[in-house]
Amino acid sequence: MIKKIRKKNIGIIISAIILSFMLVNDCSIQSYACEISIVEEDGSAEGGIETRSIIQWRYKVIDGVLYRRKYNYTEEHWIGDWEVVPLE
């Protein structure tokens, strides 16, 4: 009788472990990247020539928190610091 109870308990424990792994796999975290183009014009150019910069938001996820930072593709450098994306 004790062996039957022990086998039953082992079966329950193994089932619980398998179920917990299945639940963890179903709750995987997904991150999405999005780029937004912002074209800024500088009206100070001479001779009627307009200079333009291609600036886009770059995104990254750290510990489940979404951060963003602007990147200037024309001059190839970062603008500002990483900031938390505000929830709307």
Side-chain angles (χ1 to χ4, degrees), residues 52-66:
R52 295 181 178 221
S53 297
I54 298 173
I55 298 173
Q56 294 181 335
W57 284 109
R58 301 298 302 199
Y59 293 86
K60 69 178 177 179
V61 177
I62 300 174
D63 295 328
V65 178
L66 182 63

Side-chain angles (χ1 to χ4, degrees), residues 65-76:
V65 178
L66 182 63
Y67 291 86
R68 70 181 180 184
R69 187 177 185 186
K70 286 185 180 179
Y71 186 77
N72 186 330
Y73 283 92
T74 305
E75 298 176 12
E76 299 180 346

Side-chain angles (χ1 to χ4, degrees), residues 42-55:
D42 183 7
S44 64
E46 298 179 14
I49 299 172
E50 295 180 358
T51 58
R52 295 181 178 221
S53 297
I54 298 173
I55 298 173

